[in-house]
Each structure stands twice: as C-alpha cells, then as structure tokens.
Amino acid sequence: MLSSRPRLADTLLAALVLLAVGAAVTANLGRTGPPSPLAYAFALLFAGVLFLRRRHPIPVLLLSATALIAYYVLDLPAIGLAVPLAAPLYSAAEAGRTRWAAGVGVAVLVVSTAARLDEGDDPGYVLGLDFGVSAALFAAVIAFGDAVRSRRGWRAAAALDREREAAARVEQERLRIARDLHDLLAHTVAVISLHTDVARETLREDPDRAERSLTAVRTACSEVVQELRATLGALRAGESDPVPGLDRLAELVDSATTAGLTVTVRTEGEPAALPAVADATAYRVAQESLSNIRRHANARTVKITLSYRPDELILTIRDDGQGPPGPAANGGWGIMGMRERLALLGGALHTSTPSGGGFLVQAHIPLRARP
C-alpha cells in the first residue's frame, strides 16, 4: 500500500488537474452555449487515473493520451495538452520508461498539430508558439521525472555501498577477533601443557622446579583470563584496551625459557617506532611462532632477530627442532592468521625448513601504515 504522503500528493495533484481542466471546460472559449457534461466527465477521468500512476505508469499514460485525443475528436472545449498529460509523462519517466514517455508525447503533439492544421488554424500560431510551448512543457516534465529517478538510483547505490562497507568492516573485525583469540589461546594452552608436563616429571626429584612450573601455569591462566575479559569488554562497550606490542617480547621469551627453551634475541639496525597495528602484529607473530615451537618442534634453542630497515621490520624466528614436512610448513590456522595480519598491513610472511634443520618464520612488517 502507498504511504499517506504519496497518497496525499496524488490527491492534491488530481484536485489541481480537475480544477484546471474543469475551469477550461467552463470557460468554453470560442463557443456559445453551456459546455457539454461529457467534457466534465473527461475532466474526472484525467484526474482519477492519477491515483494509479505510481503502480501503472504506462497504462495511465496511454489511457490519458487516448482520452485526450478522443476528447478533441468529439469537438469538446479546448483544454490544452499539457495539463492532462504532464503528470502521466512525469510518472512514466520517473519509472524509467523515458522512451515511452517521449514517444507518447511526440505522438500526441504530431496528431494534435496535424488535426489543427487540417481544421484551418493559423500555421504560424500552431507551429510556432503553441507547438513550441507544448513541446517544451513535455520535455521539461519528462526530464524532471528522469532526473528524480536517477537521483533515487544514486541514493540507493550509495546506501548499498555503505551497507557493503559496514559488512566488510564487521567481517574484518570478526576475523581480527578470531585471530587474536586463536593466538592468545594457542599460546596459553601450549604454556600450560608444557609446564604441566615439567611439573609432573620433576614433582618428586626437583620440587622447586615443579613449583616454578606450576607458578608459570597459574600466571598464564591469570593473563589469559585478563585478556579474555578485555576482549569481551571491548565487544560490549565498543572500546579496546591497549594491545600488546614488542615491548612485551621479553615476557614471551621468559615464558619460553621457563618451559626449557634457550631463546636469544638479536637486534639489527636502529630500532624505530612501529605503528600500533604493526607493533601488535609483530608481537602476535612472535607469540604464535613460539607457541608452535613448544607444541610441535621438539626444539631446544630459538633465535629471534629484529632487523630494522628504512621502511620495514624483518622479524625472523628460527628453531633447531623438527620442522614440519612439505606443505605443512605453509598450513595451519596459526600461520594462516599470521599471513592475514601481515597482508592487511601490506607486509608478507615467509616460512621454510632450512637445510640445516628446524623451522624458519620471517615476517616483513612495514614501518609505515599502508595508505
């Protein structure tokens, strides 16, 4: 159903057409005696069909044009061409049927002009003033209707683009949260598993070491609970706490060392400040790499190199353990998450199993945010 505002507009438009055509019929220019009641019936027809113009623009246009020609064939009082046809022409153009509107308008003009010339009207008046005014009015209402349709289409396209952008942002945020939770939980579970094994094996022979391992488990549990609370709080409130960066690399190293790994960190070049997102990405790459080493590599030593270049940081992590065979070196959710993080920054991730053994992760992290 039409809303109240369009219905009111149609009512006002029909009333104006009825008044205008009715006034022309009543004036009965160039004639003697009262006008025919049939002329008023045509006025009601021209006004009444306007209530159908939104749903059926072409039938209304054809009916109005046919009725107008029939009106003049019946030799009824002059009412002009523009008032009965203006609204139907506009509605057809607004509905995207501009060719129909132009064709019907031209046809009515040609038939009307030919008939008037055949009746002996002044050719200068008919072809000059009258034809030109009617043609200009028809062209104006058709152009206006097409412009309204185009503007409506632009607005719809803009709204669709905004919806797509919003959906893309939601999807990116969903993937970011999924990566963060994967990195966080994978790292913490690996720490808990390794330290639990250490505590179980040394509980009787080395109680002090077992106690340290259990303390590390408790610390890891507390940290993961805090980060999960921060993530859930950000989802509820739309705010986020400062994300971890390379300033917390020492914590990762300490945790890995406590688990039995020998970790060395080397810095090459002049350290430079990273954008917040790049800093967090570097941290997550280091966290995920150390987590994978603990779970899968059976390694003893890990070398971490931070190589600062003029336009990027190259983070290299290599272990001496048992590297994954073949295609597995590039698979897994953890490596996939690292690749996605770096791709968003315009960086890249390279993984390989060097000939000397172990596994190599090399992340290229831009020092400037991608435009």
Side-chain angles (χ1 to χ4, degrees):
M1 295 179 63
L2 293 176
S3 65
S4 58
R5 290 186 63 184
R7 185 177 299 164
L8 177 60
D10 289 343
T11 301
L12 293 175
L13 183 60
L16 289 174
V17 170
L18 180 61
L19 288 174
V21 175
V25 171
T26 302
N28 201 21
L29 295 176
R31 296 171 182 266
T32 59
S36 170
L38 184 59
Y40 291 106
F42 271 95
L44 288 173
L45 174 63
F46 291 134
V49 295
L50 296 182
F51 289 99
L52 303 175
R53 67 187 182 90
R54 297 179 188 272
R55 294 182 179 176
H56 310 287
I58 299 304
V60 167
L61 175 61
L62 294 176
L63 178 59
S64 298
T66 303
L68 184 60
I69 293 174
Y71 180 92
Y72 280 108
V73 169
L74 294 173
D75 195 27
L76 297 173
I79 58 174
L81 302 178
V83 174
L85 281 186
L89 287 172
Y90 166 84
S91 299
E94 184 190 21
R97 311 302 290 273
T98 308
R99 292 184 178 179
W100 273 93
V104 171
V106 170
V108 170
L109 283 173
V110 170
V111 171
S112 173
T113 302
R116 293 180 65 181
L117 291 175
D118 185 62
E119 291 175 356
D121 288 355
D122 181 13
Y125 176 78
V126 173
L127 296 175
L129 179 62
D130 198 45
F131 181 88
V133 171
S134 297
L137 288 173
F138 283 3
V141 294
I142 293 173
F144 183 51
D146 187 63
V148 171
R149 179 193 61 80
S150 298
R151 184 178 181 185
R152 187 179 295 123
W154 294 335
R155 287 181 175 177
L160 181 60
D161 288 342
R162 288 193 295 270
E163 290 179 2
R164 288 174 176 172
E165 290 176 1
R169 288 195 295 270
V170 170
E171 180 65 13
Q172 290 177 359
E173 184 65 11
R174 185 187 69 79
L175 292 175
R176 185 192 67 80
I177 293 173
R179 286 192 297 266
D180 284 347
L181 289 177
H182 172 271
D183 294 344
L184 172 64
L185 294 177
H187 171 75
T188 304
V189 169
V191 170
I192 293 174
S193 177
L194 289 173
H195 282 295
T196 301
D197 287 341
V198 171
R200 180 176 55 82
E201 294 173 358
T202 61
L203 184 61
R204 292 185 178 84
E205 299 177 359
D206 193 349
D208 291 339
R209 186 177 180 185
E211 183 178 358
R212 289 195 300 271
S213 295
L214 292 175
T215 301
V217 169
R218 181 175 181 180
T219 301
C221 290
S222 299
E223 290 177 352
V224 75
V225 168
Q226 290 177 0
E227 292 208 33
L228 286 174
R229 285 177 177 173
T231 300
L232 293 175
L235 290 176
R236 293 193 184 101
E239 300 175 354
S240 58
D241 294 335
V243 294
L246 288 178
D247 57 334
R248 292 180 56 181
L249 180 61
E251 298 178 16
L252 296 177
V253 172
D254 290 342
S255 179
T257 300
T258 304
L261 291 172
T262 300
V263 183
T264 59
V265 179
R266 186 178 65 179
T267 300
E268 299 177 350
E270 185 67 25
L274 274 69
V277 177
D279 196 23
T281 299
Y283 174 85
R284 293 303 186 189
V285 169
Q287 183 185 54
E288 176 64 23
S289 299
L290 290 173
S291 178
N292 287 338
I293 292 171
R294 290 171 177 171
R295 286 181 293 171
H296 309 300
N298 193 26
R300 290 174 296 179
T301 64
V302 180
K303 296 180 180 179
I304 301 176
T305 304
L306 302 170
S307 180
Y308 288 90
R309 304 291 176 82
D311 57 350
E312 68 175 354
L313 166 66
I314 301 178
L315 173 61
T316 305
I317 302 172
R318 179 173 179 176
D319 64 74
D320 64 348
Q322 180 181 355
N330 295 314
W333 290 106
I335 292 179
M336 183 185 301
M338 288 190 284
R339 290 189 190 282
E340 290 175 350
R341 287 178 181 276
L342 290 164
L344 290 174
L345 297 177
L349 180 76
H350 303 289
T351 59
S352 63
T353 52
S355 57
F359 190 60
L360 175 69
V361 174
Q362 190 173 75
H364 293 257
I365 305 170
L367 294 180
R368 298 177 181 83
R370 185 175 61 176

